[in-house]
């Protein structure tokens, strides 16, 4: 990949035959490892949520009340329409199989981010929260001036991309509390007991879905060059 | 740039295709007791891993419920037909040999234990109750059976519900042959006259109205494991 990159630079600097049209200047944005972690996580998380719903169906107790209105997670018709009912055994089988890969991919990603030093571009730092607020105002068309983005990610991205890792950590921990509440009694007590762990596990899953929606909207808004960088690694400057 | 993107898209497409093929292959492969054998293998792998880490020192929270609260009832498999508690007998087998027949009064002569637990259902909910009876380990001593068997199988008198459990889990100090819940004699729907309470497993293993107990080195059949659930089901 680097060879190609150098070749491209030579081309853009016009050191080849003058007849070839000038190529745009490109730069590496997402390294190969990050891209693999990202795209491996996507189907795994999707399948974890899918099998999680198959399990949750068997005892679907959570809801949001707003006055007289109750938003139930989920209405009976919703399961039957999507064919997600009466599949507890299948859901558990997939969930406890795939969790290995979901957790290993997540651990590998965090280890890579730490050892490569890429964490510096990701974690919030001084001024990140103010920057994030400016991003929100700008994206909601309440403020004209573009927010500052001195590095790879803006303030909002730093917060969310860090937060989502903590989601993963807590999904894993609360999941294991439910999986082995007796053997992992210390973890169970640390996280407030079995019922609390189950509550957190469910709402974290809802959190992923909300993150996904926001992420896809923002990626669509950012355009092809940005998306292509997550596929090929390179962006056009 | 175009070449780079095309190459990445092609590689990505190929990997996606392979992953999809793997997913569909697992879904459509031959079933082993209700789930694809690959997933059954994963269940058994997790089971072996956790039975290796198993510690009988670990106990569920000892949280009871007020005396005489009615314990939650979640299914009547194998106990729907009426039963005459006075003529009920517990039959004990080693492998296929009947070695003992016991009335309830005989069991009540053994040392009794009264404890409480948080009890977990495979559906996701948990409940709390106190329960009293005879430790399974005490029962084994009384019938003269040591640790020479790997599995214990339990069955309702009508044979319609049956479970099997590894011996280590049966020896856990909170595994009881119970005849009381919340300080009341067992109701019919909670498994009178004698039921298993094994709070280190999902509730599906805590068989009600025990008819036979079988010690064996080959794993006795298990109702829910035949229907796609994890056999080990340890918590």
């Amino acid at each position: 990949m680097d060879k190609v990159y150098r070749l491209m630079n030579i081309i853009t600097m016009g050191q080849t035959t003058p007849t070839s049209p000038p190529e745009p200047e490109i730069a590496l944005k997402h390294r190969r490892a990050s891209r693999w972690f990202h795209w491996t996580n996507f189907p795994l998380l999707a399948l974890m949520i899918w099998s999680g719903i198959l399990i949750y169906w068997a005892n679907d107790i959570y809801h949001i009340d707003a006055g007289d209105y109750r938003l139930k997670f989920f209405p009976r018709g919703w399961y039957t329409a999507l064919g997600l009912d009466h599949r507890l055994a299948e859901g558990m089988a997939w969930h406890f199989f795939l969790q290995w890969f979901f957790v290993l991919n997540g651990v590998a990603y965090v280890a890579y981010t730490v050892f490569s030093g890429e964490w510096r571009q990701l974690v919030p730092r001084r001024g990140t929260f103010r920057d994030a607020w400016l991003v929100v105002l700008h994206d909601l068309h309440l403020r004209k001036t573009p927010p500052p983005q001195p590095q790879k990610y803006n303030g909002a991205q730093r917060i969310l991309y860090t937060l989502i890792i903590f989601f993963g950590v807590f999904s894993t921990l609360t999941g294991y509390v439910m999986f082995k509440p007796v053997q992992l009694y210390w973890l169970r007590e640390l996280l407030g007991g079995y019922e609390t762990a189950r509550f957190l596990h469910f709402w974290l899953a809802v959190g992923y879905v909300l993150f996904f929606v926001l992420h896809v909207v923002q990626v669509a808004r950012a355009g092809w060059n940005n998306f292509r960088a997550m596929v090929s690694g390179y962006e056009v400057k | 740039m175009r070449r780079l993107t095309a190459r990445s898209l092609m590689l990505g497409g190929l990997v996606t295709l392979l992953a999809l093929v793997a997913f569909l292959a697992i879904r459509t492969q031959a079933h082993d007791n209700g789930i694809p054998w690959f997933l059954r293998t994963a269940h058994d792998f997790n089971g072996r891993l956790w039975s290796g880490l198993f510690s009988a020192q670990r106990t569920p929270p000892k949280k009871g419920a007020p005396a005489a609260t009615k314990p939650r009832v979640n299914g009547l498999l194998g106990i729907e037909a009426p039963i005459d508690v006075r003529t009920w007998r517990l039959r004990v087998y080693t492998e296929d040999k009947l070695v003992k027949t016991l009335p309830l009064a005989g069991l009540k002569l053994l040392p009794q234990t009264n404890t409480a637990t948080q009890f977990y259902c495979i559906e996701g909910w948990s409940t709390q109750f106190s329960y009293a009876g005879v430790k399974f380990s005490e029962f084994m001593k009384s019938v003269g059976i040591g640790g020479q068997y790997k599995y214990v199988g339990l069955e309702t008198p009508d044979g319609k519900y049956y479970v099997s459990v590894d011996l280590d889990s049966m020896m856990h100090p909170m595994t009881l042959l119970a005849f009381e819940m919340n300080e009341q004699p067992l109701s019919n729907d909670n498994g009178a006259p004698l039921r298993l309470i094994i709070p280190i497993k999902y509730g599906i293993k805590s068989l009600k109205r025990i008819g036979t107990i079988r010690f064996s080195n080959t794993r006795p059949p298990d109702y829910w494991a035949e229907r796609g659930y994890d056999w080990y089901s340890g918590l």
Side-chain angles (χ1 to χ4, degrees):
Chain A
M1 202 56 116
D2 281 337
K3 234 180 254 170
V4 180
Y5 181 34
R6 274 203 299 278
L7 188 67
M8 289 291 184
N9 271 339
I10 293 167
I11 294 168
T12 52
M13 283 185 276
Q15 288 176 8
T16 46
T17 51
T19 48
S20 59
E23 283 270 346
E25 189 192 339
I26 63 172
L28 182 65
K29 187 176 182 189
H30 301 298
R31 294 211 287 213
R32 188 189 303 257
S34 319
R35 286 177 281 136
W36 276 100
F37 290 133
H38 172 268
W39 289 114
T40 304
N41 184 66
F42 172 56
L44 281 174
L45 181 56
L47 288 173
M48 285 306 279
I49 293 172
W50 165 74
S51 54
I53 293 169
L54 298 185
I55 298 170
Y56 173 72
W57 164 86
N59 183 238
D60 55 342
I61 54 173
Y62 301 121
H63 51 78
I64 296 175
D65 288 333
D68 290 340
Y69 181 72
R70 167 165 290 191
L71 178 62
K72 198 169 162 3
F73 290 89
F74 300 92
R76 281 282 129 175
W78 185 83
Y79 298 105
T80 45
L82 297 173
L84 298 170
D85 55 323
H86 298 89
R87 291 169 73 180
L88 172 61
E90 185 190 356
M92 294 182 96
W94 278 108
H95 211 66
F96 301 150
F97 167 60
L98 291 173
Q99 56 93 13
W100 282 111
F101 303 98
F102 176 70
V103 171
L104 288 176
N105 187 60
V107 168
Y109 169 72
V110 171
Y112 165 79
T113 308
V114 169
F115 289 115
S116 69
E118 283 188 27
W119 62 273
R120 288 189 193 87
Q121 299 173 322
L122 278 159
V123 299
R125 47 179 190 167
R126 194 195 304 248
T128 290
F129 284 88
R130 195 200 57 229
D131 289 355
W133 178 240
L134 297 178
V135 173
V136 172
L137 290 180
H138 179 73
D139 287 358
L140 293 174
H141 301 282
L142 298 172
R143 190 170 179 274
K144 281 238 155 45
T145 340
Q149 189 166 351
Q151 279 185 317
K152 190 170 173 181
Y153 298 119
N154 67 37
Q157 285 175 305
R158 278 176 180 267
I159 290 172
L160 285 176
Y161 296 163
T162 301
L163 191 66
I164 206 70
I165 295 308
F166 282 97
F167 271 45
V169 169
F170 276 94
S171 283
T172 306
L173 295 180
T174 53
Y176 266 83
V177 166
M178 278 190 283
F179 188 46
K180 301 290 161 190
V182 177
Q183 295 300 319
L184 301 177
Y185 68 101
W186 48 273
L187 189 58
R188 180 195 69 214
E189 290 311 302
L190 199 68
L191 293 174
Y194 175 88
E195 296 292 342
T196 309
R198 187 165 189 249
F199 179 86
L200 290 173
H201 199 75
F202 176 81
W203 290 108
L204 285 166
V206 173
Y208 293 120
V209 175
L210 297 178
F211 176 91
F212 175 76
V213 172
L214 181 66
H215 189 54
V216 167
V217 167
Q218 291 290 43
V219 167
R221 275 164 37 98
W224 172 241
N225 191 34
N226 175 67
F227 179 78
R228 181 177 52 191
M230 204 51 183
V231 175
S232 70
Y234 293 85
E235 64 179 343
V236 173
K237 280 285 175 192
Chain B
M1 187 71 225
R2 197 169 281 169
R3 226 164 12 157
L4 276 172
T5 310
R7 218 177 68 166
S8 295
L9 279 174
M10 251 151 49
L11 182 63
L14 194 71
V15 173
T16 307
L17 200 68
L18 284 176
L20 201 65
V21 167
F23 179 69
L24 293 176
I26 292 176
R27 287 198 53 153
T28 50
Q29 70 189 173
H31 278 41
D32 178 353
N33 289 297
I35 42 171
W37 69 260
F38 205 78
L39 299 183
R40 175 61 70 191
T41 307
H43 262 330
D44 291 345
F45 172 78
N46 284 330
R48 270 201 308 279
L49 179 71
W50 283 94
S51 60
L53 298 170
F54 174 80
S55 161
Q57 308 302 315
R58 313 265 156 85
T59 56
K62 288 178 180 159
K63 298 177 186 164
T69 313
K70 208 176 164 332
R72 183 164 176 170
V73 174
N74 201 47
L76 301 172
L77 269 169
I79 61 169
E80 276 151 306
I83 185 176
D84 183 356
V85 173
R86 284 164 308 174
T87 57
W88 172 91
R89 293 290 182 275
L90 176 66
R91 287 170 296 160
V92 184
Y93 290 80
T94 53
E95 302 296 351
D96 287 329
K97 201 172 101 217
L98 180 66
V99 292
K100 202 123 196 168
T101 306
L102 281 162
L104 190 61
L107 280 159
K108 286 192 171 172
L109 295 174
L110 300 176
Q112 296 189 12
T113 303
N114 195 338
T115 184
T117 193
Q118 183 170 16
F119 194 68
Y120 306 98
C121 179
I122 201 163
E123 293 170 353
W125 51 270
S126 74
T127 185
Q128 290 156 21
F129 53 74
S130 65
Y131 60 112
V134 175
K135 278 184 190 172
F136 194 80
S137 55
E138 287 286 349
F139 163 77
M140 279 177 65
K141 247 190 274 170
S142 79
V143 291
I145 294 170
Q148 68 266 49
Y149 297 99
K150 272 159 60 184
Y151 304 101
V152 180
L154 300 102
E155 242 176 74
T156 53
D158 63 5
K160 285 188 180 160
Y161 192 56
Y162 42 90
V163 299
S164 56
V165 180
D166 55 286
L167 190 74
D168 281 349
S169 301
M170 291 303 283
M171 299 293 281
H172 190 278
M174 284 174 77
T175 303
L176 262 60
L177 294 176
F179 30 75
E180 267 183 25
M181 286 175 84
N182 292 341
E183 293 169 44
Q184 297 290 308
L186 283 179
S187 68
N188 181 69
D189 289 358
N190 283 122
L194 186 74
R195 71 171 298 178
L196 180 70
I197 302 269
I198 178 163
I200 54 162
K201 300 276 185 189
Y202 284 125
I204 49 173
K205 296 281 190 189
S206 287
L207 183 128
K208 300 174 188 173
R209 195 192 283 176
I210 305 169
T212 63
I213 293 177
R214 185 187 310 276
F215 295 88
S216 178
N217 275 319
T218 47
R219 202 172 88 185
D222 186 281
Y223 184 89
W224 290 110
E226 287 169 4
R227 286 160 177 78
Y229 291 89
D230 176 27
W231 173 79
Y232 184 65
S233 287
L235 297 174

